[in-house]
Amino acid sequence: MPTERDFQLSPIVQESVIHNTRTLNNLQSLTSSLFGVAAGILGLESYNGFLFYLVCSILTTVLFYVVRIAPTGIPAAAAAAASQKSAAGGVGGSGAFDTSRYYRSPYEFWTGGLLNGLAGFILTWTLFFGLVRA
Amino acid sequence: MTGISKALTAFGSLLLAHACYSAHEHSALQTLKAATLSLTSTASQTTATTLPADIAIETVIATLVVLLGLVLSTQPLRPIQWRVWAGKIERQGEEGFVDNNGEVIKEYIGNPFQIFENRPGFVDIRKQRMEFAEWVKSSAGAEQ
């Protein structure tokens, strides 16, 4: 848990935090509706539908990571060197699946959108289920 | 990038719409078949409406294509740590802060330390006093 002192030592750019969070939220609410359409067409019921949503939204996050975060990272060799330095108290590098450059906590990035898009998912899921099985 | 993502999203939406229509037609056909069957014989009403494999595959592929298009169309992220962010501005300038259309974002403020770099130097008060004295002297000489 970062303290007040940590924020004094390494300040956070608030506009960037807002921008990044909004980008991820927009993507998740759009894609959750899309997954609802797919689940409705496939005719999934009860747990299968929620499982479909879970898998798809994790896939979305991974894809977002691959497209937007991974290409801007430090290469693995440099990251390994940097992590050795960070063990010695230096500046830390970015390992695999490290989101600290763009998001304040990894939980916010990996699981933050699950509940966010659930309502949209259920809405379009039921709508398209009803439309297709008319 | 933006052209590819738009094309992918459009193509995927088309596939999804087609899959949706196919699924609807399939279920309509099933209901019709069940209705005609029940007219001729007392068959059970349990219409096993499992979706044909091609429609299911089309739906999944369409979803993935649209998903890829949407992910590619997201805005580039910006560093949240001040030192990384300021370093990016210093190194790349405006080029590091463009949106998908290649235009510089509205929030771009340039160098955050500009106010320090543009401040005026010290005023040389002795030199100004000398100049003023010269001016007074010369104007006094002109009057006489």
Side-chain angles (χ1 to χ4, degrees), chain A residues 46-66:
Chain A
S46 76
Y47 288 125
N48 285 338
F50 289 107
L51 204 65
F52 178 78
Y53 173 67
L54 189 71
V55 169
C56 283
S57 91
I58 288 171
L59 183 72
T60 309
T61 320
V62 170
L63 209 58
F64 184 72
Y65 177 84
V66 167

Side-chain angles (χ1 to χ4, degrees), chain A residues 67-68, chain B residues 1-2 4-5 8 67-74 100:
Chain A
V67 170
R68 288 285 164 221
Chain B
M1 193 66 115
T2 173
I4 296 171
S5 69
L8 275 177
L67 174 63
L68 194 64
L70 287 177
V71 169
L72 285 178
S73 72
T74 50
N100 280 333

